[in-house]
Each structure stands twice: as structure tokens, then as C-alpha cells.
């Protein structure tokens, strides 16, 4: 399925490099307005115009107008990305039985520590609910949010072929190692 727009939020591809404390801090501070220091400015990621105050998203700044344009219909102010679409979509597209939380977290296309926080937030925001057997269920609000982000990215109502699951590069990044040329330790004296 081909994307129709690039006007939506996305997580940086190298989040796996962050330690847990930094990732949690960055995730919790997303959307918080930040003011530039006196005599300094931010540049809006969308408009490239200088701004004194902007909403923060993983190192990027957005003017309020640009932020509002990035929000998808039905999201109720919650910034949705493809990862949230995958989480909601995996639950929505489940055929027979609601998927278990750990299955959704492992297959949503985000590093596990981020996936855990996303599922918690979607649950707290009322887009998902959890039953007694640790299975996720989508709520009517969650269905609206899913349809909104699908329409924003693909220009169509949600279909299961829009899911980007098991994105190996994101969930299990390849770590490149320097080639080992000399295995002997050099003499210091």
C-alpha cells in the first residue's frame, strides 16, 4: 500500500540507541511546549520558520499550527504515528481471538521498551482496553483514531494490509562491529 501523505508524526529510527531513562523522558515530554532561550529561536520542522516557542517531538519543534495539522482526525489530541496505527490495527484486525498484549508489543514495529509505553498510553487514553486474560480490545474511540491515522497516511479507511508488522530493522537493529584485524595485544614497554 502506498502512502499518500507524509504529514504525520514518526519516531526517529535510531531510538534503540537510547538508554531506558532517556527514552522514557523523551517519550513523556513529547508535545510539551518549550520556549527558546533569550536571544535564540527554534525552527519549525514543517514550515522552517523561526519560532520562540514550539511543541517538542523527539528533538523536533513544531509551531502550534503545524502541530495541529500533524494530528489526525479522531485522535482527540493524541499524537499518532505508524506504530500506534500498527498497535490499534493489530487489535482491530484480529480474526477470532483478541491478541495478547505481548504479541502486539513485539509486532508493532517499535523497540520493546517504547512499545510497552505506547500500549499503556493508548489504554490510559481510552483507545484500548485489557481483559482479564491480558488480551487487548479496541474501543469505539480507538476505532475512530485508527481510521483517522489510516486516512491521514494512506488516504483510505484502515485495511489490514496497511499494517507494518515485524519491522526487523526497528525491533532488532543490526549492530555493526569493527573488523578485528589484530588479535594480539601490543606491548606497552
Amino acid at each position: 500500500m502506498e502512502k499518500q501523505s507524509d504529514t504525520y508524526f514518526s519516531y526517529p529510527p535510531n531510538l534503540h540507541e537510547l538508554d531506558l531513562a532517556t527514552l522514557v523522558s523523551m517519550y513523556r515530554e513529547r508535545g510539551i511546549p518549550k520556549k527558546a532561550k533569550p536571544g535564540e529561536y527554534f525552527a519549525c520542522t514543517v514550515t522552517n520558520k523561526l519560532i520562540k516557542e514550539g511543541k517538542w517531538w523527539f528533538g523536533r519543534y513544531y509551531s502550534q499550527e503545524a502541530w495541529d495539522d500533524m494530528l489526525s482526525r479522531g485522535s482527540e489530541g493524541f499524537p499518532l504515528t505508524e506504530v500506534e496505527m500498527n498497535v490499534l490495527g493489530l487489535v482491530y484486525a484480529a480474526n477470532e481471538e483478541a491478541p495478547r498484549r505481548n504479541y502486539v508489543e513485539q509486532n508493532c514495529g517499535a523497540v520493546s521498551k517504547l512499545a510497552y509505553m505506547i500500549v499503556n498510553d493508548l489504554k490510559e487514553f481510552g483507545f484500548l482496553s485489557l481483559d482479564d486474560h491480558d488480551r487487548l480490545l479496541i474501543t469505539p474511540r480507538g476505532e475512530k483514531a485508527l481510521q483517522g491515522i489510516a486516512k491521514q497516511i494512506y488516504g483510505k479507511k484502515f485495511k489490514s494490509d496497511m499494517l507494518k508488522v515485524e519491522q526487523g530493522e526497528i525491533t532488532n537493529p543490526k549492530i555493526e562491529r569493527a573488523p578485528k584485524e589484530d588479535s594480539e595485544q601490543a606491548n606497552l614497554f
Side-chain angles (χ1 to χ4, degrees), residues 141-178:
R141 290 174 67 194
E143 285 185 44
K144 280 184 184 177
L146 174 62
Q147 296 303 338
I149 189 66
K151 193 152 186 113
Q152 185 168 2
I153 296 173
Y154 294 102
K156 301 177 183 179
K157 289 183 91 171
F158 176 79
K159 295 180 187 174
S160 59
D161 60 341
M162 293 177 183
L163 291 174
K164 301 258 191 256
V165 294
E166 296 179 18
Q167 297 175 344
E169 297 157 12
I170 295 172
T171 56
N172 299 312
K174 293 181 183 175
I175 299 173
E176 295 181 27
R177 303 218 184 265

Side-chain angles (χ1 to χ4, degrees), residues 114-164:
L114 177 62
Y116 180 82
M117 290 186 291
I118 289 171
V119 170
N120 275 351
D121 276 5
L122 291 174
K123 195 170 66 88
E124 290 299 317
F125 210 75
F127 292 156
L128 294 174
S129 62
L130 198 62
D131 71 5
D132 296 336
H133 302 290
D134 208 29
R135 291 187 296 246
L136 291 169
L137 307 166
I138 194 163
T139 65
R141 290 174 67 194
E143 285 185 44
K144 280 184 184 177
L146 174 62
Q147 296 303 338
I149 189 66
K151 193 152 186 113
Q152 185 168 2
I153 296 173
Y154 294 102
K156 301 177 183 179
K157 289 183 91 171
F158 176 79
K159 295 180 187 174
S160 59
D161 60 341
M162 293 177 183
L163 291 174
K164 301 258 191 256

